[in-house]
Amino acid sequence: MSYKTNKAQQDLLNQFLSGHGAQLSDETLDKLYQFADLVVDTKEYGNLISAKDSEKFLSRHIADSLVPFVFLGKEISAQGGKFRWVDMGAGAGCPVFPLAIAMPNVQFYAVEPRHMRVNFMQMVKEKLHLDNLTVVGKRFETSGLSNLDFISCRALSTFENDWERAKAGLKASGTFVTLKSYNNIVHLENDPKVHIQKYELPEEEQVYALVTRGNNE
């Protein structure tokens, strides 16, 4: 079944967004559903997602990918500027594609070294006409991208390892953003340089965390 007609999954995603005071237009939601269908249904680029996760892609992966938008989107919009945001190890496009769809005024870079994933993301970018997203087929360290406003990653490594990779690419006022299981970052609770926002995803038992650190902290 297409996510364009999967009302149960659509309702879970919309309940998650509205529960956090966030709202997306019908046009934006439709593009998110298109992205979900492309990830789940496209087979020629390898196994992009497990069968189990393909059944809850909106409520699990799209909702999780939109967490930075939910908690940071209003502040980003209020500042108005054309921010540059890199996602390290973008894989099949989460969280960077949902974020690019939700925040069209931000310039995103999906950085991923694996050739098949790069080809998939390039195909999706063209199909969805995402002019604010550039796919970069390299490791972040060799991408040449620097002086960035935001660098993100989702479940790559430990917070400490991800931060070490990211910080050299951030501008002085830039922010590192990552999505982790709360259990994996609980040791950071008393670190004054780290900001943690706990959240839960629809029909998921564990607690997750949006973790941010400013480059000037």
Side-chain angles (χ1 to χ4, degrees), residues 60 64 67 154-155 157-160 178-191 194-201 204-212:
R60 172 67 180 88
D64 197 41
V67 164
R154 180 176 182 243
S157 179
T158 64
F159 175 85
E160 291 80 3
T178 186
L179 301 163
K180 305 286 189 189
S181 165
Y182 177 70
N183 287 339
N184 291 334
I185 56 86
V186 66
H187 63 285
L188 299 170
E189 278 281 13
N190 296 318
D191 187 335
V194 175
H195 306 275
I196 297 170
Q197 177 70 58
K198 292 191 286 187
Y199 63 94
E200 296 179 7
L201 294 171
E204 298 288 325
E205 293 183 359
Q206 68 174 302
V207 177
Y208 299 91
L210 172 72
V211 191
T212 61

Side-chain angles (χ1 to χ4, degrees), residues 55-114:
E55 297 175 359
K56 54 181 181 179
F57 195 74
L58 289 186
S59 64
R60 172 67 180 88
H61 295 282
I62 298 292
D64 197 41
S65 295
L66 290 173
V67 164
F69 163 74
V70 166
F71 290 111
L72 304 176
K74 289 181 181 177
E75 180 182 345
I76 290 171
S77 295
Q79 293 183 42
K82 187 88 173 179
F83 294 112
R84 296 168 69 236
W85 184 315
V86 161
D87 188 53
M88 302 189 302
C94 286
V96 66
F97 272 77
L99 289 174
I101 291 167
M103 295 190 285
N105 292 327
V106 176
Q107 177 60 49
F108 287 92
Y109 299 85
V111 179
E112 168 60 51
R114 290 174 290 178

